[in-house]
Amino acid sequence: MPKLLLVEDNEVNRDMLSRRLLKQGFDVVCAIDGPSAIVSAQTERPDLILMDIALGEMSGWEATSVIKATPTTAHIPIIALTAHALATDRAKSVEVGCCDYDTKPVDLPRLLGKIRASLPASAAA
């Protein structure tokens, strides 16, 4: 079962999306902010990270930069999640190391396609 790290500061969004992903057969661990996302990436070793961008003091982009700069977590694919659908947000997400980008509210079939396309072959099996 692939392990996903869901980084989301909004409790309602986090609960709703994590339950939907669990029903799809994923093991889901959650983090509520950038610093806890960095720690969870190192301790949980997820197969993929879903990273909210607007997280407060440390943005999802900043947390992604740290995760991608850390040798033990640099290989983990990260999909940026944001309520903003601006081309500049997509470009910034790719610039900091995200492999894909999706908007909120989440369209679950679309997000699942992106997750499955981004999972390492060993986790997707």
Side-chain angles (χ1 to χ4, degrees):
M1 174 177 336
K3 183 187 287 190
L4 306 180
L5 171 57
L6 172 61
V7 185
E8 171 63 64
D9 60 342
N10 180 290
E11 183 178 359
V12 173
N13 291 345
R14 188 174 58 247
D15 182 58
M16 183 265 316
L17 186 53
S18 65
R19 282 188 290 127
R20 291 174 79 189
L21 291 167
L22 282 167
K23 285 181 184 176
Q24 294 296 319
F26 295 101
D27 179 14
V28 181
V29 293
C30 296
I32 61 170
D33 58 22
S36 65
I38 293 165
V39 170
S40 292
Q42 294 170 351
T43 59
E44 295 289 340
R45 306 291 182 165
D47 297 301
L48 184 137
I49 299 171
L50 297 171
M51 180 71 74
D52 185 19
I53 297 305
L55 289 174
E57 281 186 45
M58 175 185 268
S59 74
W61 288 324
E62 292 170 302
T64 295
S65 294
V66 173
I67 291 167
K68 289 298 184 178
T70 304
T72 57
T73 56
H75 67 283
I76 303 170
I78 300 175
I79 297 175
L81 294 178
T82 182
H84 306 289
L86 303 174
T88 53
D89 288 341
R90 179 181 296 275
K92 177 71 173 179
S93 297
V94 171
E95 179 185 312
V96 299
C98 294
C99 64
D100 211 332
Y101 171 96
D102 205 13
T103 55
K104 296 184 210 172
V106 168
D107 174 314
L108 190 62
R110 182 183 65 211
L111 180 60
L112 289 172
K114 291 181 179 193
I115 290 169
R116 290 188 177 112
S118 300
L119 277 172
S122 59

